[in-house]
Amino acid sequence: MSAPRALLIVDVQNDFCPGGALAVVDGDKVAAVLNKYIAAFVKQDALVIASRDWHPRKTKHFKEFGGPWPAHCVQNTPGAAFHPALKLPARTIVVSKGMDPDKDSYSAFQAVDGRRRPLRDILKDAGVKELWVGGLATDYCVKASVLDALKHFKVYLLTDAIRGVDINPGDSKKAIDEMLKAGAREMTLENFSRKRIT
Ligand code: VGL
Ligand code: ZN
């Protein structure tokens, strides 16, 4: 039986990092922090899940087809690959989202694994009670995922392992406030190491 705790790494992909099509300032900096959590979760035999934005070339999510964003994370392109600084263990469960050309969706709870199992089923089947969430972007996918997660799980938001798009200044801060208000608990690597939560 695996631990009741799981780590959800949201969309740490090249296109959301400096140099990418939808770059988030310092997006790549989350990798070093997340690597520490990954090591701790692997030691605990806890699930490590990585979500990815995985869009078809034509989707209403992209500006050229009526959506809000420049093209990014197009399936099987280098921009859609996980950032190389992120050390994902071989047993990582990868879930993909954003494949529907007619939808503009953000939450990792709309993602499915290679066998089309939705994230919620994967977590339930593994007996997960607690989800620790970090990644990109704070004000979009992280926020949507955390708000969905709170309906079913205890959630820790890894506030030093997230970065936001901040189209309007302050969006990320607002998103963090909203997640905490909805019931997410804040966790930083410093607190995690100090409390040696196991
Ligand atoms: C995201 C904007 C567009 C995200 C995805 O993963 O936060 N943001 N697509
Ligand atoms: Zn997207």
Side-chain angles (χ1 to χ4, degrees):
M1 190 69 187
S2 58
R5 185 177 286 162
L7 179 64
L8 174 62
I9 298 168
V10 177
D11 300 5
V12 181
Q13 293 165 273
N14 289 324
D15 270 343
F16 294 125
C17 293
L22 184 39
V24 170
V25 175
D26 287 342
D28 55 329
K29 298 247 171 86
V30 301
V33 182
L34 288 168
N35 287 340
K36 307 259 190 192
Y37 285 108
I38 290 170
F41 274 64
V42 166
K43 229 182 211 171
Q44 293 174 16
D45 202 25
L47 285 190
V48 176
I49 297 164
S51 74
R52 63 181 179 183
D53 220 22
W54 196 243
H55 299 306
R57 180 65 193 84
K58 290 184 187 170
T59 161
K60 287 182 180 162
H61 186 63
F62 294 165
K63 253 178 208 151
E64 49 191 305
F65 307 103
W69 306 106
H72 62 274
C73 298
V74 173
Q75 292 165 14
N76 302 306
T77 62
F82 291 115
H83 192 279
L86 187 68
K87 296 200 188 86
L88 290 175
R91 49 182 240 175
T92 302
I93 298 172
V94 175
V95 292
S96 308
K97 63 184 174 65
M99 290 86 87
D100 187 335
D102 294 316
K103 280 203 185 118
D104 181 28
S105 64
Y106 298 92
S107 173
F109 281 85
Q110 281 159 350
V112 295
D113 71 5
R115 288 154 43 200
R116 307 218 156 267
R117 263 193 317 168
L119 175 59
R120 176 151 181 240
D121 293 355
I122 297 168
L123 297 172
K124 289 253 147 183
D125 290 352
V128 170
K129 303 275 184 256
E130 237 183 55
L131 200 57
W132 292 45
V133 185
L136 307 170
T138 309
D139 35 358
Y140 290 92
C141 199
V142 171
K143 180 176 106 171
S145 304
V146 164
L147 294 179
D148 275 347
L150 281 166
K151 296 173 194 161
H152 308 287
F153 306 98
K154 181 169 173 181
V155 178
Y156 284 93
L157 177 64
L158 310 176
T159 50
D160 53 352
I162 55 176
R163 293 291 188 283
V165 182
D166 282 319
I167 290 183
N168 306 299
D171 278 356
S172 291
K173 193 188 171 303
K174 256 174 54 189
I176 292 171
D177 289 347
E178 197 178 330
M179 290 184 267
L180 297 179
K181 213 169 151 199
R185 293 140 211 258
E186 183 173 3
M187 181 61 69
T188 60
L189 201 52
E190 200 190 335
N191 281 336
F192 178 60
S193 319
R194 194 162 47 216
K195 290 181 189 154
R196 293 175 150 273
I197 294 171
T198 53

